[in-house]
């Protein structure tokens, strides 16, 4: 069976954004390390996040579901982590696996990390190299991949590290390891990446210093700090909101309000890029959650023009290129994406997957090692294609959104992975008027 998104004339309604995936992982991890019992509300109950909860529980925290999106976590505190009796299975999640490697690295325990086929093909050397420098030991599959075993050490040696790629996962992994180092760990980022760890660690009582260097930042953390249990309310996910936004923007008659979206300059590149292309977007401040600003965002049908995505926006929209590509395909003129080679090592090779998704639906696109150039159709794309998702949730959702406004239906070969990040995707899209159905092959 595959799933088909049939064109509809109108996409409209009000949806509350699901909990942010990055913040949900961090809330579970920091609560699991803290002294005392933390409460988390609005947690994203996607498979990736649930695997992080299971891992923290196998490492000694008590993780319980108290109600829909409500969790309590009794942290290990000064008692510390225990070696898990079984392998920790992170499923599809780069964030869960890389952050928890930083956690395990600072304790005198061993743990085996495993994941699905996609995660097992992704590079882990980016965290193995600095964690080894700090004193942890690794036995990894060839090329620095999962499955791997890590043996931690307490205390770790602090390091001064400049990650070769812009990566919030690497930064956050090293901040967590830095909490267990003897001295100050310094991470120098050439480009600023999402800063949820820095903000949330402060909420849990740690001191983290951040000094902006223009395009990047120097982030410092002192070892020996303990975390204190907190009540965390997880803000809405701008990456999930981007799919709802795109559906409204490319629709014939679109008007969508997405409530409680996290507004953070390290995450809002997609909205800035489509605003440059002419999208009509409104925003109203509604409060704060987990040290982040919350806004209600409105999106309307908008004629779009192609653009060159500014290089400095790339890290702040790194997960949004598949859905940007869909909007670019409906735009008038050319959209150029370069300096985005990191897309090759996401849940799939997203440059190749995006290029194939567009071509099979009649859109002209040129592929580069670090990006693509899309020739916009200046209106509804031909559609009619069956998209290979490569087990990538964001490719699946992007293709289904394309189908809502294409000339002909768009199908995907698999929808299972959508539950890793957006379990309510189909329910929300149906509320807005989309027509997505299972079809026989
Ligand atoms: C994430 C960081 C990004 C992003 C991922 C979530 C995080 O990965 O793509 O979906 O929560 O820190 P990289 O750090 O590999 O860029």
């Amino acid at each position: 069976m595959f799933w088909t998104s049939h064109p509809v004339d109108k996409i409209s309604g009000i949806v509350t954004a699901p909990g942010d995936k990055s913040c949900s992982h961090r809330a579970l991890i920091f609560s699991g390390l803290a002294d005392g019992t933390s409460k988390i509300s609005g947690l994203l109950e996607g498979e990736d996040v649930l695997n992080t909860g299971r891992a923290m529980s196998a490492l000694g925290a008590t993780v319980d579901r108290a109600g829909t999106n409500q969790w309590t976590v009794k942290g290990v505190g000064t008692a510390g982590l225990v070696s898990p009796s079984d392998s920790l299975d992170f499923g599809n999640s780069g964030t869960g696996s890389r952050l928890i490697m930083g956690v395990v690295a600072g304790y005198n325990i061993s743990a085996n990390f495993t994941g699905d086929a996609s995660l097992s093909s992704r590079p882990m050397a980016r965290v193995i190299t600095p964690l080894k420098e700090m004193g942890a030991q690794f036995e990894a599959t060839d090329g620095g991949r999962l499955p791997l075993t890590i043996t931690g050490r307490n205390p770790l040696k602090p390091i001064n590290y400049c990650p070769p790629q812009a990566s919030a996962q690497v930064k956050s992994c090293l901040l967590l390891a830095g909490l267990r180092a003897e001295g100050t760990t310094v991470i120098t980022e050439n480009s600023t990446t999402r800063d949820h760890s820095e903000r949330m660690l402060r909420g849990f009582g740690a001191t983290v210093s951040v000094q902006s260097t223009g395009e990047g930042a120097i982030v410092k953390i002192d070892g020996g700090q303990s975390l204190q249990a907190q009540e965390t309310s997880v803000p809405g996910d701008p990456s999930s909101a981007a799919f709802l936004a795109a559906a409204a923007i490319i629709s014939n008659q679109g008007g969508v309000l997405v409530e409680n979206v996290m507004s953070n300059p390290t995450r809002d590149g997609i909205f800035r890029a489509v605003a440059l292309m002419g999208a009509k977007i409104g925003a109203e401040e509604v409060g704060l959650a987990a040290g982040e600003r919350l806004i209600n965002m409105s999106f309307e049908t908008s004629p779009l023009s192609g653009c060159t995505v500014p290089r400095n926006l790339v890290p702040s929209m790194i997960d949004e290129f598949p859905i940007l590509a869909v909007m670019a395909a409906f735009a008038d003129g050319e959209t150029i994406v370069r300096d985005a080679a990191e897309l090759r090592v996401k849940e799939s090779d997203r440059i190749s997957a995006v290029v194939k998704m567009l071509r099979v639906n009649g859109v002209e696109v040129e592929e580069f090692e670090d990006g693509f150039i899309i020739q916009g159709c200046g209106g509804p794309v031909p559609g009619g294609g069956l998209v290979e998702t490569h087990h990538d949730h964001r490719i699946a959702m992007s293709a289904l959104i394309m189908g809502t406004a294409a000339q002909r239906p768009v199908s995907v070969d698999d929808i299972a992975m959508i539950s890793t990040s957006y379990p309510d995707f189909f329910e929300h899209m149906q509320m807005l008027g989309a027509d997505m159905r299972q079809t026989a092959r």
Side-chain angles (χ1 to χ4, degrees):
M1 300 295 279
F2 49 76
W3 279 69
T4 302
S5 173
H6 296 265
V8 292
D9 206 41
K10 188 171 174 184
I11 290 286
S12 71
I14 303 177
V15 172
T16 301
D20 183 67
K21 181 152 76 79
S22 293
C23 291
S24 295
H25 284 294
R26 286 158 173 82
L28 284 173
I29 296 171
F30 300 164
S31 301
L33 292 174
D35 271 319
T37 300
S38 294
K39 287 187 179 166
I40 307 171
S41 59
L43 189 88
L44 173 73
E45 292 175 336
E47 269 310 307
D48 278 9
V49 173
L50 297 178
N51 281 325
T52 286
R54 288 180 198 118
M56 290 312 291
S57 144
L59 288 164
T62 307
V63 181
D64 288 313
R65 187 170 193 257
T68 309
N69 309 113
Q70 312 278 332
W71 291 69
T72 59
V73 181
K74 185 169 182 298
V76 294
T78 46
L81 303 182
V82 296
S83 287
S85 46
D86 279 322
S87 294
L88 304 176
D89 181 357
F90 290 92
N92 195 242
S93 180
T95 306
S97 57
R98 292 184 177 128
L99 267 59
I100 293 181
M101 277 185 222
V103 170
V104 170
Y107 292 81
N108 291 320
I109 61 169
S110 288
N112 184 243
F113 284 56
T114 64
D116 68 10
S118 150
L119 185 58
S120 305
S121 71
R122 296 179 66 184
M124 294 295 156
R126 54 185 59 199
V127 285
I128 295 176
T129 303
L131 289 177
K132 268 188 172 167
E133 220 180 290
M134 295 178 84
Q137 288 171 4
F138 285 85
E139 275 171 51
T141 304
D142 289 350
R145 296 181 201 271
L146 298 191
L148 63 75
T149 301
I150 167 168
T151 303
R153 167 184 138 153
N154 179 36
L156 290 166
K157 287 178 272 179
I159 51 167
N160 201 323
Y161 193 71
C162 177
Q165 54 298 100
S167 169
Q169 291 176 0
V170 174
K171 171 177 63 178
S172 304
C173 165
L174 298 180
L175 285 172
L176 283 158
L179 278 176
R180 305 280 297 171
E182 220 169 17
T184 306
T185 295
V186 183
I187 304 134
T188 303
E189 292 196 290
N190 291 329
S191 313
T192 304
T193 62
R194 63 190 70 193
D195 61 355
H196 313 306
S197 296
E198 295 88 311
R199 289 171 188 250
M200 213 188 279
L201 278 168
R202 290 192 189 117
F204 277 78
T207 302
V208 185
S209 95
V210 181
Q211 194 189 325
S212 170
T213 57
E215 277 202 18
I218 300 173
V219 185
K220 293 184 188 166
I221 193 158
D222 287 339
Q225 305 188 64
S226 57
L227 305 182
Q228 303 308 319
Q230 293 301 316
E231 283 197 18
T232 304
S233 161
V234 175
D237 196 327
S239 298
S240 298
F243 295 106
L244 309 172
I249 290 166
I250 62 176
S251 161
N252 204 15
Q253 293 175 65
V256 169
L257 180 70
V258 189
E259 294 178 325
N260 281 343
V261 183
M262 173 167 58
S263 167
N264 177 320
T266 65
R267 288 290 295 282
D268 66 2
I270 183 64
F271 303 122
R272 287 190 266 162
V274 282
L276 278 179
M277 295 169 77
K280 294 176 199 147
I281 304 178
E284 187 199 345
E285 293 254 0
V286 287
L288 287 173
E292 307 276 358
R293 286 169 55 222
L294 288 180
I295 54 176
N296 287 348
M297 301 191 81
S298 58
F299 306 96
E300 281 173 48
T301 302
S302 317
L304 300 177
S305 316
C307 78
T308 299
V309 175
R311 207 187 118 256
N312 64 338
L313 286 190
V314 171
S316 63
M317 56 183 290
I318 195 65
D319 290 337
E320 281 65 70
F321 283 98
I323 195 62
L324 172 92
V326 168
M327 289 188 271
F330 284 76
D332 192 19
E334 195 169 83
T335 295
I336 304 176
V337 171
R338 300 300 300 264
D339 287 311
E342 269 294 298
L343 296 178
R344 296 256 179 220
V345 290
K346 292 293 175 189
E347 286 83 329
S348 68
D349 172 345
R350 282 194 180 147
I351 293 180
S352 153
V354 160
V355 167
K356 286 196 275 176
M357 167 179 80
L358 295 182
R359 283 189 185 147
V360 80
N361 284 292
V363 181
E364 215 182 293
V365 50
E366 191 180 350
E367 177 170 356
F368 297 90
E369 195 42 43
D370 65 347
F372 37 76
I373 298 183
I374 296 166
Q375 302 301 328
C377 299
V381 303
L386 169 59
V387 173
E388 277 180 71
T389 56
H390 302 275
H391 307 295
D392 185 329
H393 54 133
R394 298 197 202 279
I395 297 294
M397 287 187 277
S398 299
L400 291 168
I401 297 290
M402 175 159 56
T404 61
Q407 293 170 33
R408 287 185 296 146
V410 173
S411 301
V412 294
D413 63 359
D414 187 18
I415 53 145
M417 303 316 286
I418 292 176
S419 66
T420 61
S421 70
Y422 198 164
D424 295 332
F425 176 74
F426 287 101
E427 192 191 318
H428 287 177
M429 288 311 302
Q430 194 184 9
M431 275 162 54
L432 297 180
D435 178 7
M436 298 173 180
R437 289 176 255 152
Q438 202 170 22
T439 351
R441 272 181 203 271

